[in-house]
């Protein structure tokens, strides 16, 4: 898999993670163009870390990822270490996303990317935690990747849908 600047990143073999397609990744970064440099980025259900790696390559100041699979965390660390400069920070947190949110208490992020397994029950509880813990910065935006066959985006108290984009079976719903 390649990201911004034709850089090669490592991925897990098989179907343990479902990487965001190049088309969706490019579309997201075009939408957020000019808003990545210097931002604090949170990558939820980070998979192989392609979104966080892309954010680092585009100048994010800090990238934090949460991923459940240990093998994936090692790959994310490896990928992000290749792209982070000495001025950038990154951290990978291994564990269940709901339980690991406590490690983010008091922190806010300018951009959050949330891409859980499409058939998971994570959408509602994670969005609620983001609002109750005020993890999204006031002027920040959250993008949720989903398949509309399995989850329909809806307003969440404290989050407002600001746009939706559809790319085949993949949708991005943006909240502010």
């Amino acid at each position: 898999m390649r990201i911004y600047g034709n850089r090669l990143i490592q991925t897990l073999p098989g179907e343990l993670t479902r990487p965001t397609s190049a088309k969706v990744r490019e579309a997201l970064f075009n939408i957020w163009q000019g808003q990545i440099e210097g931002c604090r980025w949170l990558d939820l259900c980070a998979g192989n870390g392609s979104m966080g790696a892309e954010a680092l390559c585009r100048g994010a100041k800090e990238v934090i990822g949460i991923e459940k699979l240990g093998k994936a965390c090692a790959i994310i660390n490896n990928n992000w270490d290749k792209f982070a400069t000495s001025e950038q920070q990154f951290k990978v947190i291994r564990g269940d996303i709901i339980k690991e949110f406590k490690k983010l208490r008091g922190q806010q992020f300018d951009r959050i990317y949330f891409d859980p397994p499409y058939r998971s029950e994570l959408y509602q509880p994670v969005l609620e935690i983001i609002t109750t813990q005020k993890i999204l910065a006031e002027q920040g935006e959250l993008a949720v990747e989903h398949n509309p066959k399995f989850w329909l985006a809806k307003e969440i108290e404290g989050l407002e849908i600001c746009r939706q984009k559809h790319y085949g079976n993949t949708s991005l719903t943006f909240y502010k």
Side-chain angles (χ1 to χ4, degrees):
M1 173 182 279
R2 295 187 182 275
I3 61 165
Y4 183 74
N6 203 24
R7 295 173 171 114
L8 189 61
I9 66 168
Q10 185 180 4
T11 60
L12 276 174
E15 296 185 24
L16 285 176
T17 60
R18 176 194 34 79
T20 298
S21 73
K23 179 181 182 178
V24 172
R25 197 172 57 250
E26 182 179 345
L28 174 91
F29 282 95
N30 283 338
I31 290 166
W32 282 349
Q33 186 174 359
Q35 300 170 33
I36 303 301
E37 190 167 338
C39 83
R40 296 192 72 226
W41 178 280
L42 179 60
D43 194 349
L44 300 173
C45 299
N48 63 22
S50 63
M51 299 305 277
E54 189 94 34
L56 286 166
C57 289
R58 293 173 186 254
K61 171 177 70 175
E62 182 179 7
V63 175
I64 294 179
I66 299 178
E67 173 54 50
K68 190 174 189 174
L69 297 172
K71 289 179 182 179
C73 289
I75 287 174
I76 295 167
N77 264 315
N78 204 19
N79 286 332
W80 291 0
D81 190 49
K82 283 193 295 192
F83 303 121
T85 66
S86 59
E87 293 83 39
Q88 294 172 304
Q89 297 177 353
F90 69 88
K91 179 179 181 181
V92 181
I93 301 169
R94 179 182 177 203
D96 177 86
I97 189 170
I98 302 294
K99 294 176 183 174
E100 298 304 326
F101 262 112
K102 65 182 174 273
K103 293 180 180 172
L104 302 177
R105 197 171 309 274
Q107 297 183 59
Q108 289 193 319
F109 296 87
D110 306 299
R111 295 289 172 265
I112 300 174
Y113 194 74
F114 177 39
D115 180 15
Y118 284 166
R119 294 177 186 250
S120 78
E121 300 292 323
L122 291 172
Y123 291 98
Q124 187 76 23
V126 167
L127 294 175
E128 288 174 359
I129 291 170
I130 288 170
T131 61
T132 58
Q133 289 190 19
K134 296 180 171 60
I135 291 174
L136 183 62
E138 193 171 317
Q139 299 301 315
E141 246 182 65
L142 156 69
V144 179
E145 182 178 327
H146 60 98
N147 182 321
K149 290 180 186 176
F150 306 119
W151 183 75
L152 293 175
K154 55 187 169 216
E155 298 282 331
I156 305 287
E157 188 174 340
L159 290 174
E160 162 189 333
I161 295 174
C162 56
R163 72 176 77 85
Q164 289 187 292
K165 302 289 183 179
H166 307 283
Y167 310 94
N169 292 330
T170 300
S171 292
L172 290 178
T173 299
F174 294 82
Y175 290 90
K176 60 181 182 172

